[in-house]
Amino acid sequence: MSETYIESAVCDPETAERLRAVDDVRRFFARLGRTGEDAPKYYIQTFGCQQNEADSERLAGMCAAMGYTRTGLPDEAELILVNTCAVREHAEKRALSIIGSYKHVKDKNPGLLIGVGGCMVTQKARADKLKNSYPYVSFTFDTGAANRVPELVRDALNGRGRSFVLSEEWKIAEGLPIRRESKHMAWLSIMYGCNNFCSYCIVPYVRGRERSRSAGAILKEAEALIADGAKDITLLGQNVNSYDGGPGEDGRRIDIADLIHKICALEGDFRLRFMTSHPKDASDRLIEAMAAEEKAAKHFHLPVQSGSDRILAAMNRKYTAEAYLEKVGKLRRAVPDVSVTSDIIVGFPGETEEDFEATLDLMRRAEYDMVFSFIYSPRDGTPAAKMENQVPREVSSERMERLLALGAEIADRRNARFVGRTLRVLAEDVSKTDPEVLTGRGDPVRPIHFRGEKSLIGQFVNVRITGARTYCLEAEIV
Ligand code: SAH
Ligand code: SF4
Ligand code: F3S
């Protein structure tokens, strides 16, 4: 693991004010001689999507700035932060069970602070549950309140009692330092929140309305990341297609396509990705930007959710299966050999066998390189949770198996096309099963395994694909 630390180039006044607590915490530990070898340790547990991973890198950045050093062992930590997800029931259950397991750590070390943030605790009922049933949790903070963490830590260290922040201040906190998990792969948040209110989804309720960072702040961060060794940068947002950077030099709003052009124009050898796109907003300009920019990865994640128009309408997705497939067709014509991937929900309320067949049919026609599929999970407060005809679990599970089988069959076919070709791959890591094998990723999303020296990690290498499995490729360096 190659962790790096970057300071933010731009800071908003409110965040600057709040970050003063960083120095208070630093002084608190310095007075106790707790620096260097004796510095207190932090541990962060992250659930959920890339957005949360990016947020956790900012939490880690603040921990480092406060004088904590990182540990991979919760038992050693004096500050544990859990960054939660609420997208499905399973994610919440896992977070609650992990938090429950930290009770023993707290029993052994009463000075331990446990803070819980993220999407789960942005719901009042869940924050209340932690307040009432998890007395060893020191504080919670909602997704809009990450910049308050240093204050929460300072107040907890000073014995000011437990805090449960539900600020609902969904502004952009510009200026939080970042402790990056990987030197060569980087997340770059360009916008936060979502306005789409798909009827099954909790995200708009726990992430607030859409707001975009300024193009200037994004470009500065991109420059800092590239200078720091980033070779694979992913622009993040719940729906990056509605990025709105305000009026540009020509008076037109700076959109995602402009942003891609601007970042790709930066000096350096890197690859640029973006996610996620909403099919109703994926624009021709974005497709053209991907086609035109050599540094833009030829991968488009375009979640369809269902292939049935009836279900798509009930999901409030605002497109039909035909309109979706037309967009994929346009993409394939503009970007030959592009990898298209998708998210699909199985067992949305009212989904009939016929609806499900329509989804399978769409999968065949879209020819996905990879599909991320989820069994529908009712979320409190969303319209779909109140819908009648919830699909029984056995039915969803059986459909899921069929979907996975078809997904694998298509992925196999798509993978076979690479055999014999030479691809440019970023060597990312050593394989978990063989220390002499490296794993990396080319434009297609699947992992590529090849024999190589560890020293290649973080560099682009040309490999010839020698074999294809369902979810990975085998290759040799050329
Ligand atoms: N903003 C992104 C993804 C958000 S959540 C987008 O719109 O694509 C990631 C995926 O989780 C979604 O694409 C959807 O497939 C799935 N998901 C969201 N809510 C869900 C729920 N209640 N049950 C099951 N899957 C869900
Ligand atoms: Fe959820 Fe839909 Fe927004 Fe994606 S676009 S985060 S699925 S509401
Ligand atoms: Fe989960 Fe929140 Fe992401 S609900 S999927 S962590 S935006």
Side-chain angles (χ1 to χ4, degrees), residues 42-47 71-84 93-117 120 130 133-139:
Y42 75 90
Y43 175 84
I44 299 181
Q45 176 75 49
T46 308
F47 295 94
T71 173
L73 303 170
D75 282 328
E76 284 185 357
E78 291 182 47
L79 172 62
I80 294 181
L81 296 175
V82 186
N83 196 3
T84 61
K93 279 202 169 141
R94 278 176 57 215
L96 289 172
S97 120
I98 286 268
I99 296 164
S101 74
Y102 297 147
K103 178 177 184 300
H104 303 289
V105 189
K106 178 89 177 179
D107 286 343
K108 275 185 274 171
N109 171 16
L112 167 69
L113 303 181
I114 302 174
V116 183
M120 182 178 82
L130 289 177
S133 310
Y134 294 72
Y136 43 91
V137 168
S138 322
F139 57 85

Side-chain angles (χ1 to χ4, degrees), residues 106-318:
K106 178 89 177 179
D107 286 343
K108 275 185 274 171
N109 171 16
L112 167 69
L113 303 181
I114 302 174
V116 183
C119 296
M120 182 178 82
V121 292
T122 304
Q123 306 165 96
K124 185 161 188 314
R126 304 293 189 277
D128 284 347
K129 181 172 176 151
L130 289 177
K131 186 174 177 177
N132 299 326
S133 310
Y134 294 72
Y136 43 91
V137 168
S138 322
F139 57 85
T140 67
F141 52 99
D142 63 83
T143 56
N147 60 352
R148 295 202 193 186
V149 166
E151 292 173 356
L152 289 163
V153 169
R154 176 195 61 199
D155 293 352
L157 287 172
N158 287 315
R160 295 214 193 117
R162 306 167 72 210
S163 310
F164 299 88
V165 180
L166 262 182
S167 67
E168 305 219 336
E169 275 174 18
W170 284 309
K171 293 184 217 145
I172 295 177
E174 205 59 81
L176 304 180
I178 307 175
R179 181 123 211 158
R180 300 173 51 216
E181 280 289 323
S182 159
K183 199 172 172 60
H184 39 273
M185 313 255 294
W187 308 123
L188 176 44
S189 297
I190 62 166
M191 59 187 300
Y192 302 93
C194 182
N195 290 352
N196 289 315
F197 291 95
C198 302
S199 63
Y200 50 82
C201 185
I202 195 72
V203 171
Y205 305 89
V206 294
R207 288 274 176 179
R209 292 300 65 72
E210 275 176 12
R211 59 245 180 243
S212 297
R213 292 178 75 192
S214 76
I218 294 167
L219 280 167
K220 282 210 173 103
E221 192 169 318
E223 275 172 21
L225 291 170
I226 294 162
D228 192 42
K231 293 281 195 302
D232 190 301
I233 300 176
T234 305
L235 307 181
L236 290 181
Q238 296 300 342
N239 176 13
V240 293
N241 300 165
S242 49
Y243 174 79
D244 182 356
E249 281 146 31
D250 58 0
R252 205 175 38 76
R253 87 170 161 101
I254 302 177
D255 67 4
I256 177 73
D258 296 317
L259 204 55
I260 288 171
H261 290 303
K262 282 176 196 286
I263 297 175
C264 287
L266 294 175
E267 199 89 18
D269 188 15
F270 62 90
R271 188 163 57 199
L272 188 65
R273 304 174 184 274
F274 55 86
M275 68 189 306
T276 297
S277 293
H278 193 303
K280 78 174 162 57
D281 301 315
S283 65
D284 292 354
R285 287 174 48 78
L286 175 57
I287 293 174
E288 285 155 18
M290 178 181 278
E293 291 292 349
E294 207 181 316
K295 292 176 186 173
K298 308 303 179 238
H299 167 214
F300 215 113
H301 184 57
L302 195 59
V304 71
Q305 312 299 355
S306 169
S308 151
D309 289 343
R310 211 175 59 80
I311 296 296
L312 286 170
M315 287 176 162
N316 193 29
R317 290 290 288 182
K318 302 194 170 89

Side-chain angles (χ1 to χ4, degrees), residues 388-442:
E388 282 163 25
N389 347 327
Q390 299 281 330
V391 175
R393 189 79 194 185
E394 318 82 76
V395 176
S396 305
S397 302
E398 189 267 340
R399 286 181 189 162
M400 178 61 117
E401 272 176 38
R402 284 155 65 201
L403 187 149
L404 289 173
L406 176 63
E409 188 191 308
I410 299 171
D412 271 339
R413 197 159 57 232
R414 297 286 299 163
N415 254 352
R417 79 191 195 274
F418 292 111
V419 177
R421 283 201 221 168
T422 299
L423 299 181
R424 191 158 182 262
V425 177
L426 176 65
E428 287 172 18
D429 216 337
V430 178
S431 151
K432 286 193 184 75
T433 49
D434 185 342
E436 289 181 6
V437 171
L438 301 178
T439 69
R441 235 166 271 249

